[in-house]
Amino acid sequence: MNKEVTEFIKDKTLINGQWLEAISGKKYPVFNPATGEQIVLVPDMGQADTRLAIEKAEQAQKLWAKQTAKQRSIILKRWAQLVETHLDTLATVLTLEQGKSLAEAKGEVTSSINYIDWFANEAMRINGDVLPPSAEGNFEFVKKRAVGVVAAITPWNFPNSMIARKVAPALAAGCSVVIKPAEDTPLSALALATLGEKAGIPAGVLNVITASSGQEVGQELCSNPIVKKLSFTGSTEVGKILSRQCADTVKKLSLELGGNAPFMVFDDADLDAAVQGAVAIKFYNSGQTCICANRLLVQDGIYDAFINKLQAALSKLHLGNGLNPETTHGPLINEKAIHKVESIVKKAVDQGARVVQGGTSLPDIGKQFFNFSILADVTPEMDIFKTEIFGPVAAVYRFKSEEEVISLANSTNYGLAAYAYTEDKGRIFRLSDQMEYGMLGINTARFVSETVPFGGVKESGIGREGSVHGVDEFLEMHYVCIKN
Ligand code: NAP
């Protein structure tokens, strides 16, 4: 490990401008999922640490919100610049703790820079409204104010960009934040906090709580009345628990939850583009993203051709340690994830799916590697149809008509991202009307950027991250009526 990477791997966390151990003195290990080696021990924090961070965040927020939008914007811009300067190092830290290839890690850190920079600009555009008077002589207006202290709970699959996408708009709005990164991947959050501090984010405005279990910390973040907003990204199951816990203090909520994305390929599609899209979005981060193509729905006439081309495309990918330059895809996050994917595949096969390739883990490479896999003859009656796979397994279904596939695609409780490949312009408009998803890609599978209102409908969540709407999630409207 080079010296700069070592300097960014922290064994303490940032609370109120100080790098601290847990009050209990406890620590827990962070592992490299490619090798199983321990990278570092980090503080294993609990309720008392969380409460301290919340109280310090409350004091700091009052002053931060008083700064002008321009002052906040300048600090955020400086943060973005520092992340850019240290892009390669942050990407290495990300690969070490999460496993994805360096190329993917650099892409993720770049997206963080874009989010921070975007919200630095959005800070300058937080305007209110002057209303037409509701009675003669009245002067009425609406101000937008920061909600206050924000809790941010993030997952392990994008440990860098999920922080940027929440913290940058919160800070732009004038909020302070207590972040609880995932147990497996706290190091990117700490590296970003290091640079945030250097950029001039005041003490207490950005705080990180590392913990080996989310429950105790989550309980405090959700029940403490000082916290006015929870921004959570993770599974639908945990999102439901947290929203129940937030109910007693009626917190504002943003929930970015699970997905079950359909990827529809019609007979008239550009087949090579569809296969390229499927590889890009199904196998991105080794299949561990909420917008991964979870159900590949392919029309009868091109079904076999699609599978053949998909198999050929997969032969060009390289599984391995993400730090190796030739690696395109890394391991799964932990052994539990391997067992989960194994059992999903086994059940599908027991229920009649056919393994075209893969279907097994690859212990020769490492304990947490799963082979690029294709399952054919998968049907909506199988359990896999309703399951978020979260691994490099392409489950390919067959359909006959447009009506049938729209109904199949929508028959899920999730509604995050959907994809379709077709050259029929009428169909493109019908799909854009009928798909019950927060985001729809037509003839493209990679559309996420800071300009996009990222988020889902149904049980995929509440609220949007990114875009011109992203800051609104961290603001409250205050109406004022002045009687003449
Ligand atoms: P997860 O198990 O829900 O965990 C997410 C975060 O919540 C982690 O920081 C976790 O901490 C914490 N957590 C877990 N149980 C908790 C509890 N009872 N109280 C408070 N915090 C708790 O999800 P994951 O496995 O990390 O991530 C995968 C899921 O996230 C998938 O369902 C995926 O679709 C979804 N996701 C959604 C989006 C989106 O934008 N919609 C983006 C990425 C991922 P620990 O790590 O300590 O358990």
Side-chain angles (χ1 to χ4, degrees), residues 115 185 187 190 206 241 256 274 296 335 376 397 419 427 437:
Y115 279 113
T185 57
L187 303 181
L190 296 171
L206 196 172
I241 295 172
E256 296 286 352
L296 285 91
E335 284 190 52
Y397 302 76
Y419 310 89
R427 175 180 290 145
Y437 287 84

Side-chain angles (χ1 to χ4, degrees), residues 117-153:
D117 192 56
W118 172 267
F119 285 113
N121 291 324
E122 286 300 295
M124 305 291 287
R125 300 186 196 116
I126 299 170
N127 302 314
D129 298 309
V130 176
L131 307 184
S134 57
E136 203 181 322
N138 277 6
F139 181 55
E140 298 176 39
F141 58 98
V142 176
K143 292 167 73 164
K144 287 190 183 167
R145 273 197 227 146
V147 291
V149 177
V150 171
I153 301 182

Side-chain angles (χ1 to χ4, degrees), residues 205-246:
V205 170
L206 196 172
N207 309 278
V208 185
I209 295 286
T210 52
S212 65
S213 158
Q215 280 179 18
E216 190 180 325
V217 174
Q219 177 74 44
E220 181 63 27
L221 290 171
C222 293
S223 61
N224 192 314
I226 296 172
V227 176
K228 295 293 183 286
K229 151 115 198 172
L230 170 71
S231 179
F232 171 73
T233 298
S235 61
T236 295
E237 188 191 350
V238 173
K240 287 179 184 178
I241 295 172
L242 300 183
S243 47
R244 276 183 219 116
Q245 289 178 353
C246 284

Side-chain angles (χ1 to χ4, degrees), residues 154 156-157 180 182-183 214 232-235 256-258 290 388 454:
T154 53
W156 47 263
N157 56 354
K180 210 293 292 171
E183 171 195 357
F232 171 73
T233 298
S235 61
E256 296 286 352
L257 308 177
C290 51
E388 197 179 18
F454 190 100

